[in-house]
Amino acid sequence: MLPFPLRPTHDLLFKKLLTSEDSTSILRNFVKDLLGIEFKTLTPKKTYHIDSYKESFEKMTIKLTEVDILAVDEEGSHYTIECQIQPHHYFQERAIFYLTEAYRSSFGNQEIEAFIKDNNFSALRPAYGINIVDFHVFDKEQEALQIFRLLNEKTYQPFLGFKGKEPLILSFLSLKNKHLEKNHPAYHWQYFLKTGEVRQEAPSYIKEAKEKIDYYQLDEEEKTMIMRVNKAEESFNAKLSTRLIEAEEKGEKKGQKKERLKWEQEARENVVRMLKDQMPIEKISEYSSLSLEAIKKIKETHMD
């Protein structure tokens, strides 16, 4: 048994899963199953390697304006893939930002095939976004997979651009939402990303994906790096709880009540996540700076 729950949505495993040199088939089928788009090739802009991952982590070069995974197909269309586990305010706006940044990234690039001289817009290529989220972005009673595109308001005909392709498509797959038909291609991906397990009837490439990120098949550097990433996340949660305590110490003065309630809610949500991950309450108390009694109360209220 692992000392902590480990899922494919872990940052290191997610990148290893989809952007390793031998993950071409997994990446291609992943995008095809979630977007329903046909293409010949799909290549990640950055290929996973433990050394480059360590360097990015140590130098903190992963920024808010950098999407988790960016891939390009044979026609230059861009595919953004983002995995967000913690709830994020304005996540819809963030997803649109990533998508439009990918769309405009090729503006004026004269090296692009079929670039028309003196027309920078001819270099623009379609951009398609996939967002894996472990929280409810939309109504929890709606479908787990939501796909948005530009359509004519009356005829519902799609807006077409380069070579008759849709210029922008944005999708969200919620791991929290249960409403996804079992015959949908994304069904087995949702189950795998949510649990780390693969159903017997799942496609072979998803079974291959599970083998690729099996913890006991990772090298020692990857295992060490996973522990470092986990520790960094726990530190973030602890800082969040500290801000809650600081807000409480300020009291209920005018203008502070709203801030206190906000951090209280976020702290509760973080404790609930750690409880769902079966982390011992003693450890949760250590990371969150909350008392055992407070954590037990949250457990009774939100987990029973």
Side-chain angles (χ1 to χ4, degrees), residues 25 31 34 36 42 59 61 72 112 121 150 152 156-157 180 191 202 233-234 239 251 253 265 288 291 295:
S25 175
V31 174
L34 268 66
L42 193 60
K59 293 184 177 181
T61 57
V72 182
I112 289 181
F121 295 103
L150 297 174
N152 181 289
Y156 296 102
Q157 291 295 312
L180 185 60
Y191 184 81
E233 291 176 350
E234 290 163 358
K239 290 179 181 178
K253 295 180 181 179
Q265 176 64 24
S288 67
S291 67
I295 295 171

Side-chain angles (χ1 to χ4, degrees), residues 84-286:
Q84 183 68 28
I85 302 304
Q86 300 289 348
H88 191 290
H89 293 303
Y90 301 105
F91 186 75
Q92 294 93 319
E93 288 77 9
R94 171 178 168 175
I96 294 173
F97 175 84
Y98 284 148
L99 187 67
T100 53
E101 280 290 291
Y103 178 73
R104 67 178 293 275
S105 64
S106 56
F107 179 72
N109 186 352
Q110 299 189 28
E111 296 180 0
I112 289 181
E113 185 179 354
F115 177 82
I116 300 175
K117 189 176 181 180
D118 299 326
N119 188 344
N120 290 335
F121 295 103
S122 66
L124 295 175
R125 293 294 182 270
Y128 308 119
I130 295 176
N131 297 275
I132 308 298
V133 296
D134 201 16
F135 52 91
H136 294 295
V137 176
F138 308 105
D139 189 324
K140 64 181 180 180
E141 298 303 321
Q142 295 180 349
E143 292 292 323
L145 179 63
Q146 300 273 340
I147 300 180
F148 301 87
R149 49 188 12 120
L150 297 174
L151 300 174
N152 181 289
E153 184 178 3
K154 292 185 178 180
T155 66
Y156 296 102
Q157 291 295 312
F159 181 89
L160 302 180
F162 177 70
K163 290 188 177 180
K165 297 178 67 174
E166 295 182 65
L168 298 170
I169 298 178
L170 184 62
S171 71
F172 298 85
L173 176 64
S174 171
L175 304 184
K176 288 284 188 184
N177 197 310
K178 300 178 181 179
H179 300 288
L180 185 60
E181 295 181 4
K182 293 185 177 181
N183 61 351
H184 194 287
Y187 173 77
H188 289 292
W189 282 113
Q190 186 198 45
Y191 184 81
F192 170 56
L193 293 170
K194 183 177 180 178
T195 66
E197 300 298 326
V198 177
R199 296 186 184 279
Q200 185 175 358
E201 63 274 20
S204 59
Y205 50 82
I206 299 184
K207 294 178 181 178
E208 179 187 347
K210 175 177 169 54
E211 293 178 3
K212 173 174 279 299
I213 61 170
D214 181 273
Y215 181 79
Y216 298 103
Q217 300 301 319
L218 303 178
D219 61 38
E220 291 305 315
E221 283 188 293
E222 289 175 323
K223 292 179 181 178
T224 300
M225 198 66 225
I226 284 174
M227 297 298 292
R228 290 187 61 189
V229 173
N230 285 353
K231 186 175 182 180
E233 291 176 350
E234 290 163 358
S235 176
F236 172 79
N237 290 333
K239 290 179 181 178
L240 181 65
S241 298
T242 299
R243 292 184 66 177
L244 166 63
I245 295 172
E246 291 174 350
E248 289 179 338
E249 290 176 348
K250 291 179 180 178
E252 298 290 344
K253 295 180 181 179
K254 185 178 180 180
Q256 294 178 337
K257 184 176 181 180
K258 185 176 181 180
E259 180 184 359
R260 187 188 70 81
L261 292 174
K262 173 186 175 183
W263 287 113
E264 182 178 353
Q265 176 64 24
E266 292 181 349
R268 279 199 300 267
E269 291 173 353
N270 276 284
V271 169
V272 170
R273 289 188 201 96
M274 287 187 276
L275 287 169
K276 287 182 178 180
D277 286 339
Q278 299 182 343
M279 185 179 292
I281 60 174
E282 292 79 9
K283 279 291 183 183
I284 297 176
S285 177
E286 179 182 342

